[in-house]
């Protein structure tokens, strides 16, 4: 049986105000072709399908068109779990209809642990795989708050809650194997931040709780999990160096800092156990370049890129000492009439502190909510335990806003 692990599509996400509809469409076209050409049996999507809990009509249409088109590829099952960016109730709303198409959607946990356990059968109805489809575990679902808790105590409770849930769902999967005398792999999904995981500044990875709170150690996952398909971190990587515990990463670079990183999905082949795990590189659908230097250096680099006559989105970092009048106009004139497009200009000459405007034209639209909050903390010299407490309250408020449709 062949599986494909992907996550963190973030459909609808823009880059400094520039819509990326073409890239998302091209990625999903490529994914469908890959599923078909490689005869993939099961597609795993480990959260953050959408970038917000209220996706645009365009993003919704693209998602449902994909689920319709995948029926023609030969892929027999799709397993979708919610991430922290997703609305669990929105994803689960059509779950009953989608299940008739062998598309299994798990948005949140509840008292029915069995809904997270999916038995994948072959064409002869013989069980071939058990999937523990664990979605993003929200703080309110896995721990109870106590007055006067320290940040360390909160962290310990969160990690214990996550471990308890994985122990429970895997225990039920093992019982199923025993009762039915199955010799099949157990695949688990998750959407979390594993301790030691690597992220890139500006890559859009949102802290799930507060600071390093609930950076989950690899040791909490039961050994009986044959492959752990994770989402949340945008760079492809192994958890604690373990070949069978993986982040596939986002299929598109979500920032200029990721522009040079290879993107991938992961193919897993198994029979009674895991036989092979391989990364498949996702093509680059839109080239990103970050240029840095004084004005002369920037103009020379832009001239070189312009001569390549291909579509490139640019982030410009002016690091010269000279104060250049009309810097933005000068740079934009240099790309006029070409396939180069400047999305962001940072003028370090006029940055006096981390809270200063990154460019004379920087707007709130260019900053994430988390970046604005972080700047407010820094501006007021808030650090240590107080910073952790305020960040915890901020993240709780953000989660409540994002999930207010769940009641």
């Amino acid at each position: 049986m062949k599986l494909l692990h992907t996550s963190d599509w973030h459909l609808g996400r823009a880059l400094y105000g520039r819509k990326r509809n073409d890239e998302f469409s091209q990625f999903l076209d490529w994914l469908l072709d890959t599923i078909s050409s490689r005869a993939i049996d099961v597609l795993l999507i480990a959260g953050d399908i959408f970038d917000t809990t209220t996706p645009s009509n365009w993003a919704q249409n693209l998602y449902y068109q994909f689920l319709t088109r995948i029926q023609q590829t030969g892929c027999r099952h799709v397993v979708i779990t919610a991430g922290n960016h997703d609305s669990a109730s929105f994803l689960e709303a059509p779950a009953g209809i989608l299940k008739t198409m062998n598309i299994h959607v798990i948005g949140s946990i509840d008292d029915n642990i069995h809904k997270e356990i999916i038995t994948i059968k072959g064409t002869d109805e013989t069980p071939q795989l058990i999937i523990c489809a664990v979605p993003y575990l929200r703080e309110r679902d896995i721990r109870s708050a106590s007055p006067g808790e320290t940040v360390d105590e909160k962290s310990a409770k969160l990690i214990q809650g996550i471990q308890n849930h994985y122990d429970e769902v895997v225990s039920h999967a093992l019982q199923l194997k025993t009762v039915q005398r199955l010799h099949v792999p157990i695949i688990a999904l998750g959407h979390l931040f594993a301790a030691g995981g690597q992220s890139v500044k500006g890559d859009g990875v949102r802290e799930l709780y507060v600071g390093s709170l609930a950076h989950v150690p690899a040791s909490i996952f039961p050994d009986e999990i044959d492959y752990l398909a994770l989402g949340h971190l945008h760079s492809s990587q192994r958890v604690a160096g373990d070949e069978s515990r993986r982040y596939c990463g986002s299929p598109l670079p979500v920032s200029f800092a990721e522009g040079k990183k290879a993107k991938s999905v992961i193919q897993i082949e198994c029979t009674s156990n895991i036989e092979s795990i391989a990364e498949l590189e996702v093509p680059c659908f839109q080239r990103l370049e970050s240029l840095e230097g004084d004005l002369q250096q920037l103009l020379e680099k832009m001239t070189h890129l312009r001569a390549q006559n291909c579509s490139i989105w640019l982030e410009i970092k002016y690091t010269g000492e000279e104060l250049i009048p009309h810097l933005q106009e000068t740079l934009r004139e240099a790309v006029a009439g070409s396939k180069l497009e400047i999305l962001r200009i940072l003028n370090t000459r006029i940055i006096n502190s981390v809270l200063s405007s990154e460019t004379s034209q920087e707007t709130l639209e260019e900053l994430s909510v988390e970046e604005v909050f972080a700047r407010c903390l820094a501006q007021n010299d808030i650090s240590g335990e107080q910073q952790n407490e305020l960040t915890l309250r901020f993240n709780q408020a953000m989660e409540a806003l994002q999930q207010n449709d769940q009641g």
Side-chain angles (χ1 to χ4, degrees):
M1 178 166 282
K2 296 181 180 179
L3 300 84
L4 202 64
H5 166 201
T6 181
S7 73
D8 295 276
W9 295 356
H10 290 280
L11 298 179
R13 186 181 182 91
L15 184 61
Y16 297 110
R18 184 66 159 80
K19 290 185 177 181
R20 309 181 71 178
N21 296 358
D22 288 344
E23 289 176 89
F24 289 122
S25 295
Q26 290 176 67
F27 162 66
L28 293 181
D29 286 344
W30 173 85
L31 185 60
L32 289 166
D33 289 343
T34 300
I35 290 169
S36 181
S37 64
R38 290 181 171 268
I40 299 298
D41 299 294
V42 182
L43 176 66
L44 309 174
I45 310 175
D48 283 354
I49 292 86
F50 297 105
D51 193 52
T52 72
T53 57
T54 55
S56 67
N57 288 337
W58 180 89
Q60 293 180 50
N61 288 336
L62 190 65
Y63 170 65
Y64 289 115
Q65 286 172 11
F66 173 83
L67 295 182
T68 300
R69 294 170 63 196
I70 200 172
Q71 305 301 307
Q72 311 303 317
T73 64
C75 182
R76 294 187 289 110
H77 292 269
V78 180
V79 179
I80 301 169
T81 56
N84 60 300
H85 280 254
D86 296 312
S87 163
S89 60
F90 175 83
L91 284 184
E92 287 190 337
I97 297 173
L98 293 176
K99 193 170 183 178
T100 65
M101 304 160 64
N102 287 327
I103 298 171
H104 314 271
V105 181
I106 309 298
S108 61
I109 66 172
D110 57 32
D111 293 336
N112 180 18
I113 195 74
H114 296 285
K115 82 171 190 178
E116 298 172 55
I117 300 172
I118 302 166
T119 301
I120 302 296
K121 297 181 179 180
T123 53
D124 60 356
E125 292 301 305
T126 301
Q128 293 184 311
L129 191 66
I130 297 176
I131 296 179
C132 298
V134 181
Y136 167 54
L137 298 173
R138 303 189 183 280
E139 183 178 357
R140 63 177 181 239
D141 296 328
I142 56 174
R143 83 172 188 96
S144 57
S146 301
E149 285 180 325
T150 66
V151 170
D152 287 342
E153 289 170 338
K154 292 170 185 173
S155 178
K157 279 190 175 182
L158 280 166
I159 292 172
Q160 189 61 55
I162 294 169
Q163 180 172 359
N164 290 345
H165 189 80
Y166 274 94
D167 284 345
E168 183 179 7
V169 72
V170 172
S171 175
H172 280 276
L174 290 171
Q175 289 176 22
L176 181 62
K177 286 183 66 171
T178 300
V179 170
Q180 298 189 15
R181 298 181 180 179
L182 303 178
H183 300 282
V184 298
I186 293 177
I187 307 295
L189 280 75
H191 195 91
L192 46 79
F193 199 134
Q198 301 298 311
S199 60
V200 177
K201 183 178 180 181
D203 68 359
V205 172
R206 181 182 297 163
E207 287 288 0
L208 295 178
Y209 304 103
V210 50
S212 62
L213 202 62
H215 282 200
V216 181
S219 59
I220 75 155
F221 300 109
D223 292 338
E224 292 83 0
I225 296 174
D226 293 287
Y227 180 83
L228 179 63
L230 293 176
H232 184 57
L233 297 186
H234 294 164
S235 297
S236 177
Q237 56 196 283
R238 296 164 180 79
V239 177
D242 192 328
E243 186 79 7
S244 66
R245 275 101 171 97
R246 296 274 200 126
Y247 287 98
C248 58
S250 61
L252 302 184
V254 297
S255 70
F256 281 96
E258 283 196 305
K260 298 295 186 182
K261 285 185 172 289
K263 291 298 182 177
S264 64
V265 296
I266 300 174
Q267 180 175 317
I268 307 102
E269 296 192 31
C270 60
T271 50
S272 59
N273 51 36
I274 303 298
E275 295 183 344
S276 67
I277 300 171
E279 291 188 13
L280 309 180
E281 186 169 342
V282 177
C284 174
F285 303 108
Q286 175 58 59
R287 186 171 162 188
L288 305 179
E289 292 282 351
S290 186
L291 307 183
E292 185 173 336
D294 60 27
L295 182 58
Q296 185 61 37
Q297 291 170 327
L298 291 173
L299 292 175
E300 289 175 359
K301 292 175 182 178
M302 291 161 73
T303 298
H304 173 72
L305 292 177
R306 183 168 182 154
Q308 297 178 29
N309 195 33
C310 62
S311 175
I312 307 174
W313 291 353
L314 302 177
E315 176 186 59
I316 307 293
K317 299 179 182 179
Y318 173 72
T319 59
E321 292 298 321
E322 184 182 359
L323 182 61
I324 306 292
H326 312 297
L327 176 64
Q328 291 208 28
E329 290 83 351
T330 301
L331 293 173
R332 295 192 187 281
E333 286 175 4
V335 301
S338 74
K339 293 184 178 180
L340 306 182
E341 183 176 352
I342 298 175
L343 300 194
R344 192 186 195 198
I345 299 174
L346 296 94
N347 188 344
T348 59
R349 177 67 177 80
I350 60 172
I351 297 178
N352 298 317
S353 72
V354 295
L355 299 167
S356 298
S357 178
E358 288 185 332
T359 107
S360 59
Q361 301 295 321
E362 186 177 62
T363 65
L364 285 176
E365 286 76 12
E366 295 179 340
L367 300 175
S368 69
V369 176
E370 291 77 15
E371 286 173 327
V372 173
F373 180 75
R375 291 188 181 198
C376 289
L377 290 178
Q379 185 178 38
N380 290 280
D381 296 322
I382 295 172
S383 59
E385 184 71 17
Q386 186 181 13
Q387 177 177 321
N388 287 339
E389 288 291 343
L390 288 173
T391 305
L392 176 61
R393 300 289 176 254
F394 169 78
N395 286 340
Q396 289 172 336
M398 286 293 295
E399 181 174 330
L401 286 172
Q402 293 159 7
Q403 297 300 321
N404 61 6
D405 62 327
Q406 295 183 40

